[in-house]
């Protein structure tokens, strides 16, 4: 199985900050990497697919980059609505696997 | 618009089975697979398996082999997942999610989740 290692596990930031989360795959996944946002009591929501493509309706302050095994997710200008948990997920092969999650909290 | 609507909360005793449904609308059901993902309280996301409504092909996570059965009903555009021999560790929210295996966009639409609580 492909292991996805996400860091940090949590972070505190202020509104307006730039936030970056990293995700490393245990083997190459090309660019088959999704980023999901989950708010308490809600289902996850796809923000970015194929490493850097913004899902329809997602604000442009969210972005992704990377390839093969190393990936980054950035929020440029954190907004109050962005405080949530973020997961990376590989869609290269089954079993689909997820990172452990990064909880973004208000400083 | 694409929607996946799941069945309601289930409370089961250890050793019982549970069957969760996921009714889809707003797209051609047979053209996309369905993955099932669960989330135990306070934990992350765990993929359980995938099914193709087109041909019934299935791919289960190894740890659920023999205990989970995924099916689809193309006449009602509904996917189902049954989990047998429930234990306390199966207490979780179960999600269905559209997953075009091999496609560019995956995990783009999720059900609202079904809470399965295993309690004696």
């Amino acid at each position: 199985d492909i292991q996805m290692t996400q860091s940090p596990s949590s972070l505190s930031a202020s509104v307006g900050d730039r936030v970056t989360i990293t995700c490393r795959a245990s083997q190459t996944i090309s660019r088959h990497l999704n980023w999901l946002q989950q708010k308490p009591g809600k289902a996850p929501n796809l923000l970015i697919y194929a490493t850097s493509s913004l899902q329809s309706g997602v604000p442009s302050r969210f972005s992704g980059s990377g390839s093969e095994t190393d990936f980054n997710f950035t929020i440029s200008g954190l907004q109050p609505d962005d405080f949530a948990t973020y997961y990376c997920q590989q869609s290269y092969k089954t079993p689909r696997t997820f990172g452990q999650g990064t909880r973004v909290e208000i400083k | 618009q694409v929607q996946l609507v799941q069945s309601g909360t289930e409370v089961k005793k250890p050793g019982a089975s549970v069957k969760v449904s996921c009714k889809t609308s707003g797209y051609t059901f047979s053209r996309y697979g369905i993955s099932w993902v669960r989330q135990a309280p306070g934990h992350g996301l765990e993929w359980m398996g995938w099914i193709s409504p087109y041909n019934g092909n299935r791919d289960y996570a190894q740890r659920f082999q023999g205990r989970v059965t995924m099916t689809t009903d193309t006449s009602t555009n509904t996917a189902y997942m049954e989990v047998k021999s429930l234990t306390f560790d199966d207490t979780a929210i179960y999600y269905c999610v559209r997953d075009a295996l091999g496609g560019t966009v995956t995990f783009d639409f999720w059900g609202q989740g079904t809470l399965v609580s295993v309690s004696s």
Side-chain angles (χ1 to χ4, degrees):
Chain A
D1 297 1
I2 299 174
Q3 307 303 315
M4 305 300 293
T5 303
Q6 190 175 336
S7 62
S9 57
S10 66
L11 64 89
S12 295
S14 300
V15 172
D17 284 353
R18 179 184 176 93
V19 166
T20 297
I21 299 168
T22 65
C23 185
R24 174 164 288 176
S26 61
Q27 65 185 75
T28 181
I29 57 171
S30 185
R31 290 174 58 84
H32 296 271
L33 193 282
N34 294 336
W35 289 98
L36 306 163
Q37 177 193 63
Q38 187 178 33
K39 296 181 179 178
K42 299 293 187 182
N45 181 45
L46 179 67
L47 298 182
I48 290 174
Y49 63 94
T51 295
S52 59
S53 296
L54 213 57
Q55 176 67 345
S56 176
V58 174
S60 59
R61 64 180 179 272
F62 296 101
S63 64
S65 64
S67 66
E68 305 296 338
T69 60
D70 293 301
F71 301 88
N72 288 329
F73 170 80
T74 298
I75 308 172
S76 300
L78 199 63
Q79 296 299 302
D81 191 48
D82 300 338
F83 293 96
T85 299
Y86 294 85
Y87 294 92
C88 62
Q89 178 242 327
Q90 63 84 14
S91 57
Y92 183 67
K93 62 195 305 187
T94 61
R96 306 301 205 196
T97 45
F98 298 87
Q100 308 95 306
T102 296
R103 185 174 179 181
V104 176
E105 299 174 321
I106 302 172
K107 182 182 284 184
Chain B
Q1 73 280 24
V2 174
Q3 286 190 306
L4 286 72
V5 179
Q6 299 182 223
S7 48
T9 297
E10 301 270 8
V11 180
K12 297 291 183 181
K13 293 191 182 304
S17 298
V18 67
K19 192 170 186 177
V20 179
S21 68
C22 171
K23 184 168 177 58
T24 73
S25 60
Y27 72 99
T28 302
F29 184 54
S30 60
R31 291 185 62 185
Y32 296 82
I34 295 286
S35 272
W36 290 87
V37 173
R38 76 178 187 179
Q39 185 171 39
H43 286 75
L45 302 167
E46 179 179 29
W47 183 81
M48 301 180 68
W50 172 91
I51 184 168
S52 165
Y54 175 72
N55 56 17
N57 284 352
R58 299 166 178 85
D59 186 354
Y60 297 143
Q62 188 170 9
R63 66 173 297 197
F64 297 109
Q65 291 271 5
R67 205 163 68 88
V68 165
T69 303
M70 296 178 186
T71 56
T72 60
D73 181 345
T74 55
S75 69
T76 60
N77 296 336
T78 302
Y80 299 90
M81 181 183 65
E82 182 177 25
V83 184
K84 302 173 185 175
S85 303
L86 291 166
T87 71
F88 297 121
D89 289 344
D90 292 315
T91 293
I93 297 174
Y94 291 75
Y95 296 101
C96 60
V97 54
R98 193 171 80 163
D99 182 3
L101 200 65
T104 301
V105 186
T106 60
F107 284 65
D108 54 348
F109 290 95
W110 292 67
Q112 83 277 19
T114 296
L115 173 62
V116 175
S117 178
V118 183
S119 173
S120 55

